[in-house]
Amino acid sequence: MSYEIWIIIVASLVGITCGVIGCFLILRKLAMLADAISHTVLLGIVLAFLISQSMNGIYMLIGAAIVGLFTAMLIQFLNHKGIQEDASIGVVFTFFFAIGVILITVFADSVHLDVDHALMGEIAFVPFDMVEIGFLPPLPKAFIMLMSILILNIILMMLFYKELKITSFDPALAASIGIPVMFIHYLLMGMVSVSTVASFDSVGAILVVAMLIAPGASAYLLTNKLSHMLCLSAFFGVIAAISGYYVATWIDSSISGSMAMMSGVLFALVFIFSPTKGLLGKKLNHKRFRSGNTAP
């Protein structure tokens, strides 16, 4: 398979994996928590390396999942103690990310961990990091990791779809009928954490944040049905990945940065042209309503 096809496939997997998870974050009004977790997992990755002295993906996933969950728990704790949610996210996010940066510069400056790589990633190198598994042909390590996490997320969403749906729309109702709201919340945070670190090495934090938020936000403007929102979000993630790659090759810029930019462009288009929630759609509906009221 050609060089560019693998880049597009891996980026599309990031778009699908993060886009689907991002729908639940949008519905729960936790978009900025995704930003926090996508940065604080850097601390988990560094700690996993310092403890294991290995860049093995499984150690990275474990370290990121632990720090991601701890981030969510600490933000929730501060919020319950009277600190505003946005302030809690800002304090925890910057503190953990700063510790991760300091640990990299002090203890891991000679290995394949650096701040620029963590923020922007380098998806162009994905086709060169191949592994062999059994009878399968050589496949990019990023592809295997992302596909594994996507399958895991799909299984978890199928098992807990009803719980995720009810707790996202009405947590009080969910608690009243016996659904463990906090367990579902931290399960979702764990899914965000492992999805983030699976994407982190290839595409960096900026594209992860963009894919966690923009596709879901675009889908939210087009439908009121969760199942449709999940499919649309995955679709927008793939379109942003494909269009971003060709924009990057056209203007000779960062591939991840271009993909993040295109996810924002797609959101802007939906925000303007959405039939029901877009700027033009609202104006047209308002004009129809006024003309209907003024008709004799």
Side-chain angles (χ1 to χ4, degrees):
M1 199 174 292
S2 70
Y3 169 86
E4 70 174 19
I5 294 299
W6 274 126
I7 293 176
I8 292 173
I9 288 175
V10 168
S12 297
L13 283 174
V14 173
I16 296 170
T17 304
C18 295
V20 171
I21 294 296
C23 289
F24 295 103
L25 297 174
I26 296 293
L27 293 172
R28 291 164 177 258
K29 298 180 175 61
L30 295 175
M32 291 310 299
L33 183 57
D35 186 19
I37 290 178
S38 65
H39 283 77
T40 58
V41 293
L42 176 65
L43 175 59
I45 292 172
V46 179
L47 290 175
F49 168 76
L50 293 177
I51 293 171
S52 66
Q53 292 298 305
S54 170
M55 293 290 291
N56 190 301
I58 188 63
Y59 298 129
M60 306 293 108
L61 284 174
I62 293 172
I66 292 172
V67 172
L69 286 172
F70 187 64
T71 298
M73 292 173 65
L74 186 55
I75 290 171
Q76 192 94 355
F77 172 78
L78 293 174
N79 194 22
H80 284 166
K81 293 298 181 181
I83 307 297
Q84 289 182 326
E85 187 174 43
D86 56 347
S88 302
I89 291 173
V91 170
V92 174
F93 148 48
T94 52
F95 178 66
F96 282 177
F97 186 65
I99 293 176
V101 170
I102 291 171
L103 290 177
I104 285 179
T105 55
V106 174
F107 298 108
D109 60 336
S110 60
V111 297
H112 184 55
L113 282 172
D114 62 83
V115 178
D116 290 337
H117 181 79
L119 288 174
M120 293 301 298
E122 192 41 80
I123 197 170
F125 293 157
V126 161
F128 302 111
D129 190 6
M130 296 283 194
V131 295
E132 292 187 19
I133 299 179
F135 62 89
L136 296 174
L139 297 170
K141 185 175 72 172
F143 170 81
I144 295 172
M145 182 175 290
L146 283 164
M147 183 60 74
S148 301
I149 296 303
L150 177 59
I151 293 171
L152 174 64
N153 285 346
I154 290 173
I155 292 172
L156 289 173
M157 281 189 287
M158 291 174 65
L159 291 174
F160 297 100
Y161 182 78
K162 180 185 73 174
E163 291 81 358
L164 284 166
K165 183 177 181 178
I166 297 175
T167 54
S168 296
F169 286 103
D170 195 338
L173 173 63
S176 68
I177 60 177
I179 293 176
V181 176
M182 293 311 298
F183 170 76
I184 297 299
H185 173 75
Y186 289 124
L187 174 67
L188 180 63
M189 294 304 103
M191 293 165 69
V192 172
S193 299
V194 295
S195 299
T196 298
V197 75
S199 312
F200 207 84
D201 185 56
S202 301
V203 302
I206 291 176
L207 184 56
V208 172
V209 174
M211 291 299 193
L212 279 170
I213 298 172
S218 301
Y220 178 78
L221 295 175
L222 292 174
T223 182
N224 292 319
K225 193 170 183 180
L226 179 58
S227 58
H228 293 171
M229 184 179 176
L230 293 171
C231 294
L232 283 170
S233 182
F235 171 76
F236 282 123
V238 172
I239 294 300
I242 296 172
S243 59
Y245 175 78
Y246 287 108
V247 167
T249 57
W250 176 43
I251 63 176
D252 191 22
S253 68
S254 163
I255 298 176
S256 295
S258 297
M259 291 175 179
M261 179 193 71
M262 289 308 300
S263 67
V265 170
L266 289 171
F267 172 78
L269 292 173
V270 173
F271 181 68
I272 295 171
F273 297 108
S274 172
T276 55
K277 300 177 183 178
L279 292 179
L280 293 181
K282 286 181 178 180
K283 284 187 177 181
L284 290 173
N285 291 334
H286 182 65
K287 285 183 179 180
R288 292 194 193 103
F289 177 77
R290 290 186 62 185
S291 62
N293 284 345
T294 56

